[in-house]
Amino acid sequence: AGRSAPSEDAARAIEALRDTGATVEVRQADVADARAVAAIFEEIDRDMPQLAGVIHSAGRLSDGSLMQMSREAFAVPLGPKVDGSWTLHRETLDRPLDFFVLFSSVAGTLGSTGQANHSAANAYMDALAAHRRALGLPATSIAWGAWSETGIAAETTVDRSAEKKGILPITDAAGLQLLKAAMESGVPTVMACPVDWTAFAGHRADLETTPFFARVAQRKAAPRPTAPLREAPSSLAADLEVASPADRARLLLDFISAQVAATLDIGSPDDIDIDRPLREMGLDSLMAVDLRNKLSAGLGGE
């Protein structure tokens, strides 16, 4: 069941399953729509074998700076993650399931710049899994890292930006192995994500002060060298005020190039082609938020 009809690749996979003798039913329904979900469960009770389990993998993104995000934009990930999870929980309370699996994200565990709403939605899924276990019900919430071949991360290049921060990509084959291990783990919440803790440490200033990181990080690494601000923010602004028009353009270009290099993890600002669109260089929506913050701070903004 999903919001949209199966893609061509999904349709081929479904037909391949049917060719093996499996019965595969496809229904279009938004898991955040309680009535639509209830109708599917009514059909299962009426026409299908007893339900054995649930895997909830729906999600939507609406990235941006928290201070500039509207209530409507913040709520986008909450529909499938929060409303959808709770609806499935309520519909299966009295059903003897073998498994109830929620696809959460490391964003809810480690945090993610520009994704406060996504982080909150996934933290809710993790909490719901713990709540179900406390009720004696099956539940496993898997905080996934970025899959490199399937899903939202692969479609939006989030996997590449995450890798620069130490969150390594998950192939489909590895993901299926992690799924099996998580479902057999016997615990309500699992983080399934390969992490280069050395690289991760270089991007997190709170590594020493957060107990979770203190436990899991095997060794502390010196922060990766990044292109610093040209000078203190107030000094740059002062230089721009007194500089000639030609010098202002040079100062701004040098400053912006340094921040782009730091955001895209490019070795030197001199390696940047200033005539090439940033998206062609790998800038995604989360990096754009980070870059905007760097530029604002460097120019004395809030």
Side-chain angles (χ1 to χ4, degrees):
R3 287 190 303 272
S4 57
S7 65
E8 292 183 4
D9 288 342
R12 284 193 291 269
I14 290 170
E15 288 305 315
L17 288 170
R18 287 172 174 161
D19 289 343
T20 68
T23 299
V24 182
E25 298 289 343
V26 177
R27 298 292 183 272
Q28 278 189 244
D30 188 341
V31 72
D33 184 341
R35 290 184 178 181
V37 174
I40 290 179
F41 277 97
E42 289 173 4
E43 183 182 4
I44 292 172
D45 292 339
R46 184 180 64 248
D47 303 327
M48 301 181 188
Q50 178 176 300
L51 185 68
V54 171
I55 294 181
H56 174 28
S57 62
R60 295 178 66 191
L61 294 178
S62 177
D63 300 339
S65 170
L66 181 60
M67 295 300 293
Q68 297 185 351
M69 188 178 294
S70 67
R71 178 181 292 270
E72 291 74 22
F74 188 90
V76 168
L78 306 187
K81 295 282 188 178
V82 177
D83 297 337
S85 297
W86 183 252
T87 297
L88 292 171
H89 163 65
R90 292 291 300 273
E91 289 288 346
T92 59
L93 276 172
D94 298 324
R95 298 170 186 267
L97 300 182
D98 294 332
F99 57 89
F100 184 95
V101 180
L102 302 172
F103 277 26
S104 175
S105 165
V106 293
T109 308
L110 304 181
S112 181
T113 302
Q115 291 189 314
N117 51 355
H118 182 55
S119 299
N122 286 290
Y124 174 89
M125 298 181 92
D126 296 341
L128 178 59
H131 174 63
R132 283 182 59 90
R133 284 297 185 95
L135 296 176
L137 301 172
T140 305
S141 182
I142 307 174
W144 289 108
W147 287 53
S148 60
E149 300 169 357
T150 307
I152 294 177
E155 294 169 359
T156 58
T157 70
V158 168
D159 59 322
R160 293 201 291 274
S161 60
E163 186 172 4
K164 294 177 181 178
K165 298 179 181 180
I167 307 298
L168 305 181
I170 302 172
T171 64
D172 287 356
L176 291 175
Q177 293 178 345
L178 289 169
L179 173 62
K180 181 176 184 293
M183 293 177 67
E184 295 175 348
S185 67
V187 297
T189 57
V190 178
M191 190 178 90
C193 175
V195 181
D196 179 346
W197 291 109
T198 299
F200 185 83
H203 289 274
R204 293 296 293 257
D206 58 346
L207 198 69
E208 291 184 334
T209 59
T210 304
F212 174 80
F213 296 145
R215 289 197 302 271
V216 299
Q218 297 300 311
R219 57 195 175 102
K220 179 183 177 183
R224 282 181 169 182
T226 57
L229 300 179
R230 186 181 182 277
E231 291 184 35
S234 58
S235 177
L236 176 59
D239 286 349
L240 291 172
E241 286 184 5
V242 300
S244 67
D247 286 340
R248 276 185 202 154
R250 178 183 56 78
L251 288 171
L252 276 173
L253 185 60
D254 289 347
F255 168 69
I256 293 171
S257 297
Q259 305 321 307
V260 170
T263 302
L264 297 178
D265 204 16
I266 295 174
S268 168
D270 296 333
D271 296 330
I272 294 175
D273 181 355
I274 62 174
D275 295 318
R276 185 180 177 192
L278 291 176
R279 289 195 176 278
E280 290 184 5
M281 298 169 64
L283 186 81
D284 57 30
S285 59
L286 297 184
M287 290 180 181
V289 173
D290 183 36
L291 176 59
R292 187 201 61 195
N293 292 341
K294 285 186 173 75
L295 296 176
S296 178
L299 293 170
E302 296 180 356

